[in-house]
Amino acid sequence: MWYYFEIFALISVIMWSVALVFTVWQKSKTIKLISEVLSLGGFISLLVFIILLWINLDRPPMRTLGETRLWYSFFLFLIGYVVYKRWNYPWFLSYSLFLALVFIVLNWLKPEAHSTTLMPALQSIWFVPHVIVYMIAYAFLGVSSLIGFKALVEHSKGRPVKLLLDFGDNIVYLGFGFLTLGLVFGALWAKEAWGHYWTWDPKETWAFISWAVYMIYMHMRYHRPQKETFHIRMLAFAFIILLIAWFGINYLPAAQTSVHVYS
Amino acid sequence: MTKNSKRKIWHHPWGYPEGSLIAFGLLLTGFLLDFSTGQAFPKPPFPWNVSLFMLLISVLIVAHLNKKSSPFIRWLSSVPAAISALVLFTFISVLMGLVPQKNMGVPSPSNLLDSWAYFFSYIYLLVVLGLSSLKRIWPLEKRNAAYLLNHLGLWLALAAAGLGAGDIQQYNMFLTEGKTTWYGYQGKNETIELPFALRLNDFTLENYPAKIALVDPKTKAILRSAGKPALTDLPLDKLKTIKGFEILATDYLDFAVIDSLSNFIPLIDTGAVQAARLTVNGAVRGWVSPGNFRFPMRIVPISDTLAIAMLKPEAKRYASDVTVFLPDQQQYPELIEVNKPIEVEGWKIYQSDYDERFGRWSRHSILEIVRDPWLPLVYVGFYMMIIGAILLIFQGKKTK
């Protein structure tokens, strides 16, 4: 169980679910308008929830996996909505709404004991920027993976995917920029907290691996843009490596000594 | 690969197949060396590492200047070479991410950082990344800014981190309140005399209110509820429910001692302990306390198989109030706290630990001291990567 204000998270889920249905069956202008209003309403409600949680815990709600999932949903929707408005892809809003919903609902299925304690090593000015920048990166790259799956479907139907892949490049470059910031911020923080900027802690190792995988993808795209089948698959599945770095790592034997294994 | 499909392997211009074979060859050679020598690759200290750094830069520049006459050098700065180097380095990283690593000197699957395979993949990456950076350095153009910052920044960070590894010194200092210390220790044997001394004036530690948990009254082991440990923050201002028990702390004492009637009374005295008086399902049930070196643990029994206990409190912050003494007789006070290291005579000094048996009453403080003369160079690389990443975010992809 969370707190009384989890009602705001519930409101988000309801509004987004209805919005999702409306974006899929977008028959008229009115329905389109309603779906946008509901999406934004859900977003604001989630924001209220996060702020209240922050105040209630008296620390940034970024320590546990569940807390990072909240931010993930938050940025995923924000990015999805901006992309949808900017490039006018209606399917895009549905996809990001769906993914954002999945991550909020996960918090209901796996409720956490929220604790106000924050170990001294986490009490740093780097804590908030490090986590936020990473969640933005994960959200962009999650979105790029959606584009990958969309391209996978289009490709199997024999439709051209060049435009989708070019669009994916924009998102990957944005995500990779934030991923780099997260990595370097983490290193600068580690030097202040633990005495060294890089110790190949399991989380660091997997963060490096996911960074490298996107680096490989970007170089391949640049060098051999015509190898579309390869790119589509890699774009869609690179995100899995990222998910390992984010929470899959908690289940790996190598990670049991990590300073990053969240409670 | 259509363009190259008629080309025989190892005939220039090289592409991906040669890259794969070179990467595989380096990996195999590395593992064979590990297996046959059974020794870590050397990490030379100053001045050897500086010489190697100069040598590496010279070799890269000379190679770059001669690339017109050598298709091999041209290939080394190409994307296929970059991908083979990245894949090799990432492959070893994946091994490190799957097999738990411990640093023990002898290369093995659980100590890849000391393996020749890691060394070769690192050097290969440095050479390829270095040549790729040089490719766009001259003529210096504004449109190459993001490329150069990202590639050269990473190269600088990697090169300085790797070559500087031999110069990193890391020791612990054990301070006792009222005493002055000027030695650092590593493991059991190695000692170093430091160019400064520290006197610990006071070690302070603040705790969070201790958590409470449902435990087995005999073993004191924490019970589980819905797959998770049945524990919660101290329910100070509102009821908390664990496993159907509504628990409320009506009193909480951060510093308490036990009086003659076995009650907890507030008193700031050495060894004072945390204690809380609990009501369970509305009825007053008594005091819980985690106990410490002075007082025993106190639990609230609910049934034969169930009790409420208070856990050892978690530290909120801890710090060492010290006086620093320098060789020139100068002295000044400093506060060393987690996440707030200080710097003295080229050493970074970190609050690391304390005597956990005594918790906030510890009179000992353990500091970690680190000297890393290559750090500024690594940081220049990091800052270049930060600017490069920001440019990447705003400029996006540039096509050929």
Side-chain angles (χ1 to χ4, degrees):
Chain A
M1 277 301 280
W2 287 23
Y3 298 91
Y4 61 96
F5 49 78
E6 68 180 10
I7 188 77
F8 287 101
L10 189 64
I11 292 171
S12 297
V13 169
I14 293 167
M15 284 178 131
W16 279 359
S17 307
V18 179
L20 178 60
V21 174
F22 280 10
T23 56
V24 175
W25 283 280
Q26 226 171 49
K27 289 278 189 283
S28 68
K29 271 217 163 115
T30 327
I31 289 192
K32 191 178 167 190
L33 200 69
I34 294 173
S35 70
E36 281 193 36
V37 169
L38 284 173
S39 314
L40 281 178
F43 174 72
I44 292 165
S45 187
L46 183 64
L47 178 64
V48 170
F49 173 71
I50 290 176
I51 292 171
L52 288 175
L53 185 64
W54 193 321
I55 294 169
N56 191 279
L57 291 176
D58 197 23
R59 63 167 173 83
M62 301 174 185
R63 201 195 67 181
T64 66
L65 269 179
E67 288 162 11
T68 60
R69 278 197 293 258
L70 282 177
W71 290 98
Y72 186 69
S73 293
F74 178 83
F75 286 118
L76 197 65
F77 172 78
L78 190 64
I79 289 163
Y81 186 74
V82 170
V83 167
Y84 153 76
K85 282 308 242 187
R86 165 77 175 71
W87 283 280
N88 199 22
Y89 285 111
W91 61 272
F92 207 85
L93 190 61
S94 326
Y95 277 37
S96 51
L97 272 174
F98 172 73
L99 206 58
L101 267 172
V102 165
F103 280 87
I104 295 199
V105 170
L106 263 180
N107 275 5
W108 250 283
L109 298 177
K110 289 191 71 169
E112 295 181 323
H114 281 259
S115 165
T116 55
T117 59
L118 190 63
M119 59 191 280
L122 289 184
Q123 296 167 24
S124 161
I125 51 159
W126 289 109
F127 184 34
V128 175
H130 174 65
V131 177
I132 292 287
V133 158
Y134 255 120
M135 284 305 124
I136 294 176
Y138 286 8
F140 271 119
L141 296 171
V143 161
S144 79
S145 157
L146 288 181
I147 296 169
F149 281 112
K150 174 88 176 170
L152 217 53
V153 174
E154 299 286 304
H155 192 65
S156 68
K157 291 178 182 164
R159 294 192 198 132
V161 292
K162 186 182 177 302
L163 283 179
L164 265 177
L165 276 173
D166 288 345
F167 174 46
D169 285 340
N170 294 332
I171 305 296
V172 168
Y173 272 65
L174 281 165
F176 183 80
F178 281 100
L179 204 61
T180 307
L181 289 181
L183 198 75
V184 178
F185 286 0
L188 293 172
W189 179 9
K191 178 69 195 169
E192 293 308 294
W194 288 285
H196 200 46
Y197 46 83
W198 195 267
T199 50
W200 291 103
D201 170 276
K203 187 84 168 187
E204 289 172 0
T205 305
W206 282 99
F208 171 78
I209 295 166
S210 40
W211 191 61
V213 165
Y214 281 99
M215 213 144 48
I216 292 167
Y217 173 77
M218 289 158 79
H219 283 85
M220 287 294 278
R221 274 293 292 160
Y222 176 79
H223 188 239
R224 288 280 157 84
Q226 72 278 16
K227 298 195 73 89
E228 288 176 341
T229 318
F230 177 86
H231 297 314
I232 296 168
R233 289 190 189 142
M234 188 160 174
L235 186 59
F237 293 106
F239 193 62
I240 292 170
I241 302 286
L242 212 146
L243 289 182
I244 296 178
W246 184 9
F247 47 77
I249 188 176
N250 291 18
Y251 306 99
L252 287 176
Q256 295 320 312
T257 52
S258 172
V259 295
H260 279 94
V261 170
Y262 313 101
S263 52
Chain B
M1 210 69 31
T2 44
K3 194 170 57 182
N4 291 342
S5 57
K6 290 184 197 95
R7 181 178 63 84
K8 278 187 184 158
I9 197 159
W10 301 119
H11 283 239
H12 287 292
W14 291 1
Y16 289 97
E18 287 83 0
S20 320
L21 286 171
I22 288 175
F24 186 70
L26 286 172
L27 185 71
L28 206 64
T29 316
F31 282 147
L32 281 176
L33 264 177
D34 288 326
F35 191 70
S36 55
T37 64
Q39 271 182 342
F41 68 88
K43 296 175 194 68
F46 180 83
W48 307 109
N49 53 1
V50 177
S51 319
L52 274 175
F53 189 54
M54 299 297 176
L55 186 70
L56 178 66
I57 293 177
S58 314
V59 167
L60 288 178
I61 290 177
V62 171
H64 174 68
L65 294 177
N66 287 290
K67 72 173 184 175
K68 281 224 169 72
S69 58
S70 164
F72 173 62
I73 296 171
R74 281 203 298 280
W75 178 80
L76 276 177
S77 67
S78 71
V79 173
I83 288 179
S84 70
L86 267 173
V87 168
L88 176 61
F89 198 78
T90 308
F91 175 74
I92 293 176
S93 308
V94 170
L95 291 183
M96 288 199 283
L98 292 176
V99 184
Q101 299 287 303
K102 11 185 181 330
N103 291 356
M104 287 196 309
V106 180
S108 71
S110 58
N111 182 25
L112 287 164
L113 280 179
D114 281 320
S115 73
W116 285 92
Y118 173 78
F119 174 76
F120 285 146
S121 74
Y122 166 76
I123 292 290
Y124 184 39
L125 189 61
L126 267 193
V127 168
V128 170
L129 187 58
L131 286 174
S132 318
S133 311
L134 286 171
K135 204 160 70 169
R136 301 241 194 141
I137 272 191
W138 195 259
L140 203 56
E141 284 176 47
K142 209 173 143 193
R143 66 191 177 96
N144 284 338
Y147 179 96
L148 274 177
L149 285 165
N150 284 319
H151 288 78
L152 208 55
L154 179 60
W155 184 86
L156 193 59
L158 277 178
L163 286 159
D167 282 339
I168 292 178
Q169 288 173 286
Q170 193 169 9
Y171 293 90
N172 284 318
M173 280 179 90
F174 300 93
L175 306 187
T176 303
E177 276 179 1
K179 294 210 169 120
T180 307
T181 308
W182 59 93
Y183 281 97
Y185 297 87
Q186 198 179 58
K188 277 183 181 146
N189 307 318
E190 210 184 317
T191 320
I192 183 179
E193 190 174 337
L194 299 166
F196 60 88
L198 299 178
R199 185 181 67 214
L200 181 63
N201 302 318
D202 189 22
F203 173 77
T204 49
L205 186 148
E206 241 178 83
N207 285 316
Y208 283 104
K211 289 180 175 151
I212 54 166
L214 291 185
V215 298
D216 181 311
K218 286 186 195 82
T219 61
K220 310 284 190 294
I222 298 172
L223 302 175
R224 298 181 79 81
S225 163
K228 302 213 158 158
L231 53 86
T232 172
D233 282 352
L234 190 67
L236 258 181
D237 32 22
K238 59 171 191 154
L239 280 171
K240 285 229 170 101
T241 310
I242 339 180
K243 273 197 166 180
F245 296 103
E246 291 183 334
I247 306 169
L248 179 73
T250 50
D251 298 278
Y252 171 68
L253 303 174
D254 193 17
F255 290 86
V257 296
I258 302 178
D259 69 5
S260 52
L261 295 169
S262 247
N263 283 320
F264 285 89
I265 53 165
L267 186 68
I268 298 181
D269 185 26
T270 303
V273 70
Q274 292 80 1
R277 182 149 53 183
L278 301 183
T279 64
V280 180
N281 294 339
V284 179
R285 300 301 284 263
W287 291 91
V288 284
S289 170
N292 61 9
F293 61 94
R294 185 173 161 193
F295 297 108
M297 183 181 195
R298 182 81 70 88
I299 58 174
V300 165
I302 294 181
S303 69
D304 285 350
T305 55
L306 207 65
I308 302 175
M310 195 175 228
L311 303 177
K312 290 248 179 283
E314 292 168 64
K316 189 174 189 176
R317 66 174 278 272
Y318 50 99
S320 296
D321 172 354
V322 298
T323 304
V324 182
F325 297 92
L326 297 181
D328 58 2
Q329 306 293 314
Q330 212 189 319
Q331 52 167 289
Y332 54 90
E334 280 279 14
L335 189 72
I336 309 167
E337 209 174 322
V338 180
N339 258 313
K340 287 169 194 152
I342 64 165
E343 197 161 342
V344 181
E345 301 278 295
W347 291 84
K348 270 206 166 212
I349 307 176
Y350 298 85
Q351 178 68 53
S352 162
D353 214 344
Y354 51 91
D355 191 336
E356 297 202 4
R357 286 170 304 168
F358 295 98
R360 64 184 169 194
W361 300 108
S362 169
R363 299 187 62 242
H364 301 277
S365 176
I366 303 171
L367 305 180
E368 186 183 6
I369 58 171
V370 182
R371 214 177 80 89
D372 182 1
W374 292 66
L375 187 69
L377 221 48
V378 178
Y379 272 27
V380 170
F382 282 169
Y383 296 141
M384 287 168 73
M385 287 166 74
I386 290 179
I387 304 171
I390 293 171
L391 285 180
L392 210 60
I393 290 167
F394 283 100
Q395 295 178 347
K397 183 179 177 180
K398 290 191 173 153
T399 39
K400 273 195 265 197

